[in-house]
Amino acid sequence: MEEHSELRPLLTVAGGSMRGLSFRVGPERQVIGRAPTADIVVYDGHLSRRHAEIWLTGEGVALADLGSTNGTWLNDRRIIGVERLADGDVVRLGRTELRVFDPGVARTDPVGFSFGEPRRDRRPTLPLPIAAPPVPGVDPVPPVAISAVLSAPS
């Protein structure tokens, strides 16, 4: 997979001050924290300097809390020990929310929207009408001058 790093799992910041940034997960253990020496630096005052650790194993992405003060949360459950992550999981560290996107097994996009069955409680969006192409030999209706509309007495 090293020759195709774009196939490695991706962590995307979905909530917090760094929203929109993404980090690839590799086989080496990466420390997530607010210390400048962390492998993945997250600017959030509610994170510990060395908050959590993430890495890619043969079975998937693994996450471990490093004894942080505010804890590491996986899908609204505080984790203890090593947890395996799946595509679409939400990891919360302090006030920062990360979404897991694993292109090898993806059922979501990088931000976490599902690719499942279409919702039945909404009407489909209709396309906007497209102007008809000009007909040869017919003069188009000239547009009304904006200045004439603006200067017309009311």
Side-chain angles (χ1 to χ4, degrees), residues 10-113:
L10 187 70
L11 282 179
T12 300
V13 181
S17 63
M18 298 175 62
R19 185 180 181 141
L21 290 179
S22 295
F23 309 95
R24 290 281 175 197
V25 180
E28 65 284 344
R29 290 179 179 243
Q30 297 170 286
V31 173
I32 304 170
R34 65 179 166 86
T37 56
D39 300 305
I40 300 174
V41 179
V42 178
Y43 301 106
D44 180 339
H46 294 87
L47 257 70
S48 296
R49 287 177 182 81
R50 294 175 45 87
H51 196 98
E53 200 170 44
I54 193 163
W55 67 99
L56 185 59
T57 69
E59 292 81 40
V61 181
L63 175 72
D65 184 78
L66 295 176
S68 64
T69 303
N70 294 324
T72 300
W73 299 76
L74 173 60
N75 300 324
D76 293 326
R77 179 181 54 82
R78 190 170 184 162
I79 68 167
I80 299 170
V82 176
E83 292 278 340
R84 184 167 172 217
L85 304 182
D87 180 63
D89 279 349
V90 177
V91 175
R92 190 168 39 86
L93 311 163
R95 293 194 174 160
T96 301
E97 185 177 283
L98 303 167
R99 296 216 183 236
V100 178
F101 173 65
D102 190 344
V105 295
R107 289 191 45 87
T108 64
D109 71 1
V111 199
F113 293 110

Side-chain angles (χ1 to χ4, degrees), residues 109-131:
D109 71 1
V111 199
F113 293 110
S114 177
F115 292 144
E117 289 293 317
R119 294 181 59 171
R120 299 286 181 204
D121 60 339
R122 286 194 194 161
R123 291 189 333 224
T125 304
L126 298 175
L128 294 174
I130 299 173

